[in-house]
Amino acid sequence: MLNVHNLSVSFGGEYLFEEISFRLNAGNRVGLVGKNGAGKSTLLKLLNRDMALDTGVIAVEKDIKIGFLRQDIDFVQGRTVLEEAYQAFEEIKKLELRLDEINHQLAERTDYETDSYSQLIIDLNDVSQHYEILGGYNYQGETEKILQGLGFKREDFDKKTETFSGGWRMRIELAKLLLQSNDVLLLDEPTNHLDIESIIWFEQFLNNYTGAVVIVSHDKMFLDNVTNRTIEISLGRIYDYNKPYTQYLVLRNEIKQQQLNAQKNQEKEIQQAERLIEKFRAKSTKASMAQSLIKKLDKIERIEVDEDDNSVMNLRFPVSITPGKVVVEIEGLSKSYGSNLVLDDINLLIERDSKTAFVGQNGQGKSTLAKIIVGELEHEGRLKLGHNVQIGYFAQNQAEYLDGNKTILDTMIDAANESNRSKVRDILGSFLFRGDEVEKYVKVLSGGERNRLALAKMLLQPFNVLVMDEPTNHLDIKSKNVLKQACLNFEGTLILVSHDRDFLQGLTNKVYEFKDSRINEYLGDVDFYLEQRKVENFRAIEKKQAVAVEKVKPKENSFQDQKKLKSLKNQLSSVESKVGSLEKEIKEIDHNLLVDYDTTIQKPNFFDSYQAKKDKLEKLMQQWENLTMDIESLS
């Protein structure tokens, strides 16, 4: 579908990546990973032809359609949800305008016998046929179906897009991509503004998608659940393996260990040869042997060990003074935006040293309550901060508070005071801004670099309560791990607004779910919350099923049904046998890839054969599912 060959891109004389090559095929779900600033978003823009490449070739098969979900969505203001979603049908909308134009002319003109009037009739027929072929008579219903599948209610369709939060606007953009029937999806941080339920839905969609997908994401769990291939950009090179992220890390470490062992053995051989050369050089009778060994050494291809970029920021939040036992006390708090009631009669008590997570769908009031706690928003009801409470606040759009026309160093110096101004360069160094990098302007930094700078700024002011709204957005996986460890080590009170399951795991001891203007308390971490929510959902489903069963009267199976049932069971048994054999073959190949990757892939047409087995297994599993459903309906 898409082939990248010897691609190089540089900025300011330094290569982001140099002469990288890879191919995308249908069914590839690629996790594109690497540290902030490695060039992930740049590579997506290159694949979408948004940027010019320095050298190399990006070849795309004819008629392949590429859809690109960017980090930052920029909608035209004034459009409704439906109108924005209809932008997916660019050609259909053009044909609608042309049809309106022709019909308008036909209604006004009376020169029925002229050639130009006859041509209008021909044009109307041609455009109408093209309109029908493109799905012009079905697209509106399809759009409504997809929007409802993504969580929109029918009453939302006519609301302006600017009245929705970032997460809901991301869903509109997703709907547009799904409606376009793209062959390749390029997704830049697609989960950044999605709530946990939306992420789970999106995972299911991507796992059923038949085209190729390239995903830039720092959500390790999302990558593991969705991808079947990982490409890491590191120090200008790429590492490409047919494994989800966590399995890729294990495999890459094993390969690196093999390289280290091979390099050690080679080094011993070289040292032995050098000792012999030195020994034989002094003897005239052995001079020719020495020359032969020298030539042999010159021909040896030195084994290189893949380099890792292990640079990570160093973060530890200092605690100021000890506050009172109750940090935040809320009674009867409500908040509305116009006629939209976001929070209604909220009662909440947050105690010293507690670790709390705010979760729930976008637009349900999580960020609103965080802003109210830090004093950024007016509200109704009572909110009281405890004795000696000093709040550190990381906003969801924290990077937007930074002045793009200032340098990194100036940003920090302006935020510092007399006691810590001398430590600014040391703090920046611990956040990976070293040497001349501190003179970079904020406007040229990547999203992750801006977030790192915003975190560095937080260390310039003392606090004992830390409120963080989506702090992991744009942070690379290593930086996220550092931030999580810093939150675990933080000896103050922590309030986290996040949708990142992996980040939240084991980090909090209390979860508040925001739903329908109210909050529900769960005494545990995010895994406990998800477990409880699933139980509730299953109970609700079971209740519905129980009611449905009572309404349906059982019927006796006819002889024909019994005969058909027996045939279906025989087919099911055959399919199960084939599935077992194929799974065994694929498992054996996966084992060989782990043990000896290079030898395994040397087999003729290895990747095509391997993918064919996986495709066949997928079809058999679908057949198994259909047979099982047919058997259940007859039983």
Side-chain angles (χ1 to χ4, degrees), residues 567-583 616-628 631:
S567 171
L568 288 171
K569 285 181 177 178
N570 288 337
Q571 290 178 53
L572 184 66
S573 179
S574 173
V575 168
E576 284 175 344
S577 176
K578 290 175 184 176
V579 166
S581 299
L582 208 50
E583 282 180 335
K616 187 178 178 182
L617 179 62
E618 196 172 326
K619 285 178 183 175
L620 283 169
M621 291 303 293
Q622 185 61 55
Q623 193 178 344
W624 181 89
E625 190 177 332
N626 294 338
L627 285 166
T628 305
I631 288 169

PDB file of all heavy atoms in Angstrom, residues 567-583 616-628 631:
ATOM      1  N   SER A 567     -25.763 -30.721  11.254  1.00  0.00           N
ATOM      2  CA  SER A 567     -24.830 -30.293  10.201  1.00  0.00           C
ATOM      3  C   SER A 567     -23.958 -29.134  10.684  1.00  0.00           C
ATOM      4  O   SER A 567     -22.737 -29.110  10.464  1.00  0.00           O
ATOM      5  CB  SER A 567     -25.614 -29.885   8.953  1.00  0.00           C
ATOM      6  OG  SER A 567     -24.756 -29.291   8.008  1.00  0.00           O
ATOM      7  N   LEU A 568     -24.586 -28.161  11.383  1.00  0.00           N
ATOM      8  CA  LEU A 568     -23.844 -27.000  11.884  1.00  0.00           C
ATOM      9  C   LEU A 568     -22.800 -27.418  12.923  1.00  0.00           C
ATOM     10  O   LEU A 568     -21.683 -26.911  12.936  1.00  0.00           O
ATOM     11  CB  LEU A 568     -24.812 -25.978  12.499  1.00  0.00           C
ATOM     12  CG  LEU A 568     -25.694 -25.184  11.535  1.00  0.00           C
ATOM     13  CD1 LEU A 568     -26.748 -24.393  12.296  1.00  0.00           C
ATOM     14  CD2 LEU A 568     -24.852 -24.228  10.683  1.00  0.00           C
ATOM     15  N   LYS A 569     -23.181 -28.389  13.786  1.00  0.00           N
ATOM     16  CA  LYS A 569     -22.231 -28.854  14.808  1.00  0.00           C
ATOM     17  C   LYS A 569     -21.041 -29.570  14.190  1.00  0.00           C
ATOM     18  O   LYS A 569     -19.909 -29.451  14.666  1.00  0.00           O
ATOM     19  CB  LYS A 569     -22.949 -29.773  15.798  1.00  0.00           C
ATOM     20  CG  LYS A 569     -23.852 -29.019  16.777  1.00  0.00           C
ATOM     21  CD  LYS A 569     -24.528 -29.958  17.755  1.00  0.00           C
ATOM     22  CE  LYS A 569     -25.360 -29.169  18.768  1.00  0.00           C
ATOM     23  NZ  LYS A 569     -26.076 -30.062  19.719  1.00  0.00           N
ATOM     24  N   ASN A 570     -21.303 -30.323  13.098  1.00  0.00           N
ATOM     25  CA  ASN A 570     -20.199 -30.978  12.379  1.00  0.00           C
ATOM     26  C   ASN A 570     -19.258 -29.947  11.771  1.00  0.00           C
ATOM     27  O   ASN A 570     -18.029 -30.088  11.820  1.00  0.00           O
ATOM     28  CB  ASN A 570     -20.747 -31.895  11.284  1.00  0.00           C
ATOM     29  CG  ASN A 570     -21.392 -33.142  11.851  1.00  0.00           C
ATOM     30  OD1 ASN A 570     -21.079 -33.546  12.971  1.00  0.00           O
ATOM     31  ND2 ASN A 570     -22.310 -33.756  11.107  1.00  0.00           N
ATOM     32  N   GLN A 571     -19.864 -28.897  11.181  1.00  0.00           N
ATOM     33  CA  GLN A 571     -19.052 -27.820  10.597  1.00  0.00           C
ATOM     34  C   GLN A 571     -18.229 -27.124  11.670  1.00  0.00           C
ATOM     35  O   GLN A 571     -17.055 -26.812  11.473  1.00  0.00           O
ATOM     36  CB  GLN A 571     -19.960 -26.798   9.899  1.00  0.00           C
ATOM     37  CG  GLN A 571     -20.623 -27.293   8.632  1.00  0.00           C
ATOM     38  CD  GLN A 571     -21.534 -26.230   8.031  1.00  0.00           C
ATOM     39  OE1 GLN A 571     -21.128 -25.099   7.793  1.00  0.00           O
ATOM     40  NE2 GLN A 571     -22.782 -26.608   7.807  1.00  0.00           N
ATOM     41  N   LEU A 572     -18.858 -26.898  12.839  1.00  0.00           N
ATOM     42  CA  LEU A 572     -18.170 -26.230  13.942  1.00  0.00           C
ATOM     43  C   LEU A 572     -16.975 -27.053  14.408  1.00  0.00           C
ATOM     44  O   LEU A 572     -15.885 -26.518  14.661  1.00  0.00           O
ATOM     45  CB  LEU A 572     -19.141 -25.999  15.104  1.00  0.00           C
ATOM     46  CG  LEU A 572     -18.590 -25.210  16.301  1.00  0.00           C
ATOM     47  CD1 LEU A 572     -18.280 -23.781  15.910  1.00  0.00           C
ATOM     48  CD2 LEU A 572     -19.587 -25.220  17.459  1.00  0.00           C
ATOM     49  N   SER A 573     -17.176 -28.365  14.501  1.00  0.00           N
ATOM     50  CA  SER A 573     -16.091 -29.249  14.921  1.00  0.00           C
ATOM     51  C   SER A 573     -14.921 -29.189  13.944  1.00  0.00           C
ATOM     52  O   SER A 573     -13.753 -29.147  14.345  1.00  0.00           O
ATOM     53  CB  SER A 573     -16.625 -30.685  15.020  1.00  0.00           C
ATOM     54  OG  SER A 573     -15.587 -31.566  15.394  1.00  0.00           O
ATOM     55  N   SER A 574     -15.240 -29.159  12.643  1.00  0.00           N
ATOM     56  CA  SER A 574     -14.194 -29.070  11.603  1.00  0.00           C
ATOM     57  C   SER A 574     -13.425 -27.761  11.700  1.00  0.00           C
ATOM     58  O   SER A 574     -12.195 -27.730  11.621  1.00  0.00           O
ATOM     59  CB  SER A 574     -14.837 -29.214  10.224  1.00  0.00           C
ATOM     60  OG  SER A 574     -13.893 -28.974   9.208  1.00  0.00           O
ATOM     61  N   VAL A 575     -14.172 -26.659  11.898  1.00  0.00           N
ATOM     62  CA  VAL A 575     -13.542 -25.330  11.996  1.00  0.00           C
ATOM     63  C   VAL A 575     -12.642 -25.273  13.236  1.00  0.00           C
ATOM     64  O   VAL A 575     -11.528 -24.753  13.172  1.00  0.00           O
ATOM     65  CB  VAL A 575     -14.613 -24.211  12.046  1.00  0.00           C
ATOM     66  CG1 VAL A 575     -13.987 -22.875  12.430  1.00  0.00           C
ATOM     67  CG2 VAL A 575     -15.301 -24.084  10.701  1.00  0.00           C
ATOM     68  N   GLU A 576     -13.126 -25.810  14.367  1.00  0.00           N
ATOM     69  CA  GLU A 576     -12.332 -25.802  15.604  1.00  0.00           C
ATOM     70  C   GLU A 576     -11.017 -26.552  15.420  1.00  0.00           C
ATOM     71  O   GLU A 576      -9.968 -26.138  15.919  1.00  0.00           O
ATOM     72  CB  GLU A 576     -13.140 -26.414  16.750  1.00  0.00           C
ATOM     73  CG  GLU A 576     -14.212 -25.477  17.293  1.00  0.00           C
ATOM     74  CD  GLU A 576     -15.092 -26.129  18.333  1.00  0.00           C
ATOM     75  OE1 GLU A 576     -15.079 -27.378  18.428  1.00  0.00           O
ATOM     76  OE2 GLU A 576     -15.811 -25.402  19.045  1.00  0.00           O
ATOM     77  N   SER A 577     -11.078 -27.665  14.674  1.00  0.00           N
ATOM     78  CA  SER A 577      -9.871 -28.444  14.404  1.00  0.00           C
ATOM     79  C   SER A 577      -8.868 -27.642  13.578  1.00  0.00           C
ATOM     80  O   SER A 577      -7.671 -27.616  13.869  1.00  0.00           O
ATOM     81  CB  SER A 577     -10.254 -29.732  13.665  1.00  0.00           C
ATOM     82  OG  SER A 577      -9.105 -30.463  13.315  1.00  0.00           O
ATOM     83  N   LYS A 578      -9.385 -26.940  12.551  1.00  0.00           N
ATOM     84  CA  LYS A 578      -8.510 -26.110  11.705  1.00  0.00           C
ATOM     85  C   LYS A 578      -7.904 -24.951  12.494  1.00  0.00           C
ATOM     86  O   LYS A 578      -6.735 -24.616  12.329  1.00  0.00           O
ATOM     87  CB  LYS A 578      -9.309 -25.561  10.506  1.00  0.00           C
ATOM     88  CG  LYS A 578      -9.687 -26.618   9.485  1.00  0.00           C
ATOM     89  CD  LYS A 578     -10.575 -26.023   8.398  1.00  0.00           C
ATOM     90  CE  LYS A 578     -11.043 -27.086   7.420  1.00  0.00           C
ATOM     91  NZ  LYS A 578     -11.992 -26.527   6.421  1.00  0.00           N
ATOM     92  N   VAL A 579      -8.723 -24.337  13.356  1.00  0.00           N
ATOM     93  CA  VAL A 579      -8.240 -23.223  14.191  1.00  0.00           C
ATOM     94  C   VAL A 579      -7.106 -23.685  15.090  1.00  0.00           C
ATOM     95  O   VAL A 579      -6.065 -23.030  15.216  1.00  0.00           O
ATOM     96  CB  VAL A 579      -9.389 -22.624  15.042  1.00  0.00           C
ATOM     97  CG1 VAL A 579      -8.837 -21.717  16.139  1.00  0.00           C
ATOM     98  CG2 VAL A 579     -10.348 -21.843  14.156  1.00  0.00           C
ATOM     99  N   GLY A 580      -7.286 -24.868  15.719  1.00  0.00           N
ATOM    100  CA  GLY A 580      -6.252 -25.407  16.603  1.00  0.00           C
ATOM    101  C   GLY A 580      -4.935 -25.632  15.882  1.00  0.00           C
ATOM    102  O   GLY A 580      -3.860 -25.268  16.387  1.00  0.00           O
ATOM    103  N   SER A 581      -5.006 -26.223  14.671  1.00  0.00           N
ATOM    104  CA  SER A 581      -3.788 -26.507  13.891  1.00  0.00           C
ATOM    105  C   SER A 581      -3.087 -25.214  13.493  1.00  0.00           C
ATOM    106  O   SER A 581      -1.856 -25.090  13.595  1.00  0.00           O
ATOM    107  CB  SER A 581      -4.143 -27.305  12.628  1.00  0.00           C
ATOM    108  OG  SER A 581      -4.728 -28.521  12.962  1.00  0.00           O
ATOM    109  N   LEU A 582      -3.901 -24.224  13.032  1.00  0.00           N
ATOM    110  CA  LEU A 582      -3.326 -22.957  12.561  1.00  0.00           C
ATOM    111  C   LEU A 582      -2.707 -22.164  13.710  1.00  0.00           C
ATOM    112  O   LEU A 582      -1.636 -21.561  13.566  1.00  0.00           O
ATOM    113  CB  LEU A 582      -4.425 -22.131  11.866  1.00  0.00           C
ATOM    114  CG  LEU A 582      -3.987 -21.162  10.770  1.00  0.00           C
ATOM    115  CD1 LEU A 582      -3.078 -21.831   9.755  1.00  0.00           C
ATOM    116  CD2 LEU A 582      -5.206 -20.594  10.065  1.00  0.00           C
ATOM    117  N   GLU A 583      -3.385 -22.164  14.856  1.00  0.00           N
ATOM    118  CA  GLU A 583      -2.833 -21.463  16.029  1.00  0.00           C
ATOM    119  C   GLU A 583      -1.491 -22.071  16.446  1.00  0.00           C
ATOM    120  O   GLU A 583      -0.567 -21.364  16.840  1.00  0.00           O
ATOM    121  CB  GLU A 583      -3.821 -21.528  17.198  1.00  0.00           C
ATOM    122  CG  GLU A 583      -4.976 -20.540  17.068  1.00  0.00           C
ATOM    123  CD  GLU A 583      -5.945 -20.628  18.230  1.00  0.00           C
ATOM    124  OE1 GLU A 583      -6.026 -21.705  18.872  1.00  0.00           O
ATOM    125  OE2 GLU A 583      -6.652 -19.624  18.489  1.00  0.00           O
ATOM    126  N   LYS A 616      -6.047 -16.145   7.470  1.00  0.00           N
ATOM    127  CA  LYS A 616      -6.873 -17.352   7.421  1.00  0.00           C
ATOM    128  C   LYS A 616      -7.458 -17.660   8.799  1.00  0.00           C
ATOM    129  O   LYS A 616      -8.631 -18.024   8.926  1.00  0.00           O
ATOM    130  CB  LYS A 616      -6.030 -18.534   6.926  1.00  0.00           C
ATOM    131  CG  LYS A 616      -6.853 -19.799   6.671  1.00  0.00           C
ATOM    132  CD  LYS A 616      -5.975 -20.920   6.133  1.00  0.00           C
ATOM    133  CE  LYS A 616      -6.801 -22.202   5.921  1.00  0.00           C
ATOM    134  NZ  LYS A 616      -5.972 -23.310   5.447  1.00  0.00           N
ATOM    135  N   LEU A 617      -6.627 -17.490   9.847  1.00  0.00           N
ATOM    136  CA  LEU A 617      -7.096 -17.722  11.209  1.00  0.00           C
ATOM    137  C   LEU A 617      -8.236 -16.772  11.569  1.00  0.00           C
ATOM    138  O   LEU A 617      -9.228 -17.166  12.188  1.00  0.00           O
ATOM    139  CB  LEU A 617      -5.935 -17.556  12.196  1.00  0.00           C
ATOM    140  CG  LEU A 617      -6.275 -17.744  13.689  1.00  0.00           C
ATOM    141  CD1 LEU A 617      -6.781 -19.161  13.954  1.00  0.00           C
ATOM    142  CD2 LEU A 617      -5.068 -17.438  14.556  1.00  0.00           C
ATOM    143  N   GLU A 618      -8.085 -15.512  11.146  1.00  0.00           N
ATOM    144  CA  GLU A 618      -9.120 -14.510  11.433  1.00  0.00           C
ATOM    145  C   GLU A 618     -10.437 -14.893  10.761  1.00  0.00           C
ATOM    146  O   GLU A 618     -11.511 -14.785  11.358  1.00  0.00           O
ATOM    147  CB  GLU A 618      -8.645 -13.140  10.931  1.00  0.00           C
ATOM    148  CG  GLU A 618      -9.450 -11.987  11.500  1.00  0.00           C
ATOM    149  CD  GLU A 618      -8.866 -10.622  11.154  1.00  0.00           C
ATOM    150  OE1 GLU A 618      -7.628 -10.507  11.061  1.00  0.00           O
ATOM    151  OE2 GLU A 618      -9.663  -9.697  10.973  1.00  0.00           O
ATOM    152  N   LYS A 619     -10.364 -15.381   9.497  1.00  0.00           N
ATOM    153  CA  LYS A 619     -11.583 -15.792   8.780  1.00  0.00           C
ATOM    154  C   LYS A 619     -12.222 -17.010   9.442  1.00  0.00           C
ATOM    155  O   LYS A 619     -13.440 -17.101   9.562  1.00  0.00           O
ATOM    156  CB  LYS A 619     -11.240 -16.109   7.322  1.00  0.00           C
ATOM    157  CG  LYS A 619     -10.987 -14.869   6.474  1.00  0.00           C
ATOM    158  CD  LYS A 619     -10.599 -15.240   5.055  1.00  0.00           C
ATOM    159  CE  LYS A 619     -10.283 -13.984   4.242  1.00  0.00           C
ATOM    160  NZ  LYS A 619      -9.790 -14.307   2.882  1.00  0.00           N
ATOM    161  N   LEU A 620     -11.373 -17.959   9.887  1.00  0.00           N
ATOM    162  CA  LEU A 620     -11.896 -19.141  10.564  1.00  0.00           C
ATOM    163  C   LEU A 620     -12.580 -18.771  11.876  1.00  0.00           C
ATOM    164  O   LEU A 620     -13.628 -19.331  12.227  1.00  0.00           O
ATOM    165  CB  LEU A 620     -10.751 -20.130  10.842  1.00  0.00           C
ATOM    166  CG  LEU A 620     -10.263 -20.969   9.646  1.00  0.00           C
ATOM    167  CD1 LEU A 620      -8.985 -21.695   9.990  1.00  0.00           C
ATOM    168  CD2 LEU A 620     -11.333 -21.965   9.195  1.00  0.00           C
ATOM    169  N   MET A 621     -11.994 -17.811  12.613  1.00  0.00           N
ATOM    170  CA  MET A 621     -12.602 -17.371  13.870  1.00  0.00           C
ATOM    171  C   MET A 621     -13.959 -16.711  13.617  1.00  0.00           C
ATOM    172  O   MET A 621     -14.903 -16.893  14.393  1.00  0.00           O
ATOM    173  CB  MET A 621     -11.667 -16.399  14.596  1.00  0.00           C
ATOM    174  CG  MET A 621     -10.389 -17.046  15.143  1.00  0.00           C
ATOM    175  SD  MET A 621     -10.700 -18.423  16.262  1.00  0.00           S
ATOM    176  CE  MET A 621     -11.464 -17.591  17.641  1.00  0.00           C
ATOM    177  N   GLN A 622     -14.045 -15.938  12.514  1.00  0.00           N
ATOM    178  CA  GLN A 622     -15.321 -15.316  12.153  1.00  0.00           C
ATOM    179  C   GLN A 622     -16.353 -16.384  11.791  1.00  0.00           C
ATOM    180  O   GLN A 622     -17.522 -16.308  12.183  1.00  0.00           O
ATOM    181  CB  GLN A 622     -15.107 -14.351  10.968  1.00  0.00           C
ATOM    182  CG  GLN A 622     -16.346 -13.552  10.586  1.00  0.00           C
ATOM    183  CD  GLN A 622     -16.848 -12.672  11.717  1.00  0.00           C
ATOM    184  OE1 GLN A 622     -16.097 -11.869  12.255  1.00  0.00           O
ATOM    185  NE2 GLN A 622     -18.109 -12.814  12.075  1.00  0.00           N
ATOM    186  N   GLN A 623     -15.876 -17.420  11.035  1.00  0.00           N
ATOM    187  CA  GLN A 623     -16.752 -18.540  10.667  1.00  0.00           C
ATOM    188  C   GLN A 623     -17.231 -19.269  11.918  1.00  0.00           C
ATOM    189  O   GLN A 623     -18.401 -19.640  12.031  1.00  0.00           O
ATOM    190  CB  GLN A 623     -15.974 -19.486   9.746  1.00  0.00           C
ATOM    191  CG  GLN A 623     -16.836 -20.513   9.030  1.00  0.00           C
ATOM    192  CD  GLN A 623     -16.013 -21.387   8.100  1.00  0.00           C
ATOM    193  OE1 GLN A 623     -14.884 -21.069   7.760  1.00  0.00           O
ATOM    194  NE2 GLN A 623     -16.591 -22.510   7.706  1.00  0.00           N
ATOM    195  N   TRP A 624     -16.295 -19.497  12.868  1.00  0.00           N
ATOM    196  CA  TRP A 624     -16.640 -20.155  14.124  1.00  0.00           C
ATOM    197  C   TRP A 624     -17.720 -19.370  14.874  1.00  0.00           C
ATOM    198  O   TRP A 624     -18.679 -19.945  15.401  1.00  0.00           O
ATOM    199  CB  TRP A 624     -15.380 -20.289  14.982  1.00  0.00           C
ATOM    200  CG  TRP A 624     -15.589 -20.967  16.304  1.00  0.00           C
ATOM    201  CD1 TRP A 624     -15.512 -22.288  16.574  1.00  0.00           C
ATOM    202  CD2 TRP A 624     -15.942 -20.323  17.542  1.00  0.00           C
ATOM    203  NE1 TRP A 624     -15.776 -22.538  17.902  1.00  0.00           N
ATOM    204  CE2 TRP A 624     -16.064 -21.353  18.521  1.00  0.00           C
ATOM    205  CE3 TRP A 624     -16.180 -19.015  17.926  1.00  0.00           C
ATOM    206  CZ2 TRP A 624     -16.388 -21.088  19.840  1.00  0.00           C
ATOM    207  CZ3 TRP A 624     -16.514 -18.747  19.239  1.00  0.00           C
ATOM    208  CH2 TRP A 624     -16.623 -19.774  20.181  1.00  0.00           C
ATOM    209  N   GLU A 625     -17.551 -18.031  14.907  1.00  0.00           N
ATOM    210  CA  GLU A 625     -18.515 -17.171  15.609  1.00  0.00           C
ATOM    211  C   GLU A 625     -19.888 -17.255  14.958  1.00  0.00           C
ATOM    212  O   GLU A 625     -20.908 -17.379  15.639  1.00  0.00           O
ATOM    213  CB  GLU A 625     -18.003 -15.722  15.582  1.00  0.00           C
ATOM    214  CG  GLU A 625     -18.798 -14.788  16.474  1.00  0.00           C
ATOM    215  CD  GLU A 625     -18.226 -13.376  16.486  1.00  0.00           C
ATOM    216  OE1 GLU A 625     -17.005 -13.218  16.282  1.00  0.00           O
ATOM    217  OE2 GLU A 625     -19.013 -12.441  16.697  1.00  0.00           O
ATOM    218  N   ASN A 626     -19.934 -17.220  13.616  1.00  0.00           N
ATOM    219  CA  ASN A 626     -21.211 -17.293  12.893  1.00  0.00           C
ATOM    220  C   ASN A 626     -21.902 -18.635  13.129  1.00  0.00           C
ATOM    221  O   ASN A 626     -23.121 -18.693  13.346  1.00  0.00           O
ATOM    222  CB  ASN A 626     -20.982 -17.082  11.392  1.00  0.00           C
ATOM    223  CG  ASN A 626     -20.502 -15.670  11.076  1.00  0.00           C
ATOM    224  OD1 ASN A 626     -20.723 -14.758  11.862  1.00  0.00           O
ATOM    225  ND2 ASN A 626     -19.841 -15.497   9.952  1.00  0.00           N
ATOM    226  N   LEU A 627     -21.123 -19.723  13.081  1.00  0.00           N
ATOM    227  CA  LEU A 627     -21.689 -21.063  13.314  1.00  0.00           C
ATOM    228  C   LEU A 627     -22.240 -21.185  14.727  1.00  0.00           C
ATOM    229  O   LEU A 627     -23.320 -21.742  14.943  1.00  0.00           O
ATOM    230  CB  LEU A 627     -20.614 -22.132  13.074  1.00  0.00           C
ATOM    231  CG  LEU A 627     -20.250 -22.424  11.608  1.00  0.00           C
ATOM    232  CD1 LEU A 627     -18.965 -23.240  11.527  1.00  0.00           C
ATOM    233  CD2 LEU A 627     -21.387 -23.154  10.903  1.00  0.00           C
ATOM    234  N   THR A 628     -21.481 -20.657  15.693  1.00  0.00           N
ATOM    235  CA  THR A 628     -21.924 -20.715  17.094  1.00  0.00           C
ATOM    236  C   THR A 628     -23.254 -19.985  17.281  1.00  0.00           C
ATOM    237  O   THR A 628     -24.162 -20.470  17.967  1.00  0.00           O
ATOM    238  CB  THR A 628     -20.853 -20.091  18.021  1.00  0.00           C
ATOM    239  OG1 THR A 628     -19.610 -20.741  17.795  1.00  0.00           O
ATOM    240  CG2 THR A 628     -21.230 -20.241  19.482  1.00  0.00           C
ATOM    241  N   ILE A 631     -26.060 -22.021  15.764  1.00  0.00           N
ATOM    242  CA  ILE A 631     -26.395 -23.165  16.630  1.00  0.00           C
ATOM    243  C   ILE A 631     -27.231 -22.708  17.820  1.00  0.00           C
ATOM    244  O   ILE A 631     -28.224 -23.349  18.188  1.00  0.00           O
ATOM    245  CB  ILE A 631     -25.099 -23.876  17.098  1.00  0.00           C
ATOM    246  CG1 ILE A 631     -24.473 -24.639  15.922  1.00  0.00           C
ATOM    247  CG2 ILE A 631     -25.387 -24.837  18.243  1.00  0.00           C
ATOM    248  CD1 ILE A 631     -23.064 -25.144  16.189  1.00  0.00           C
TER     249      ILE A 631
END
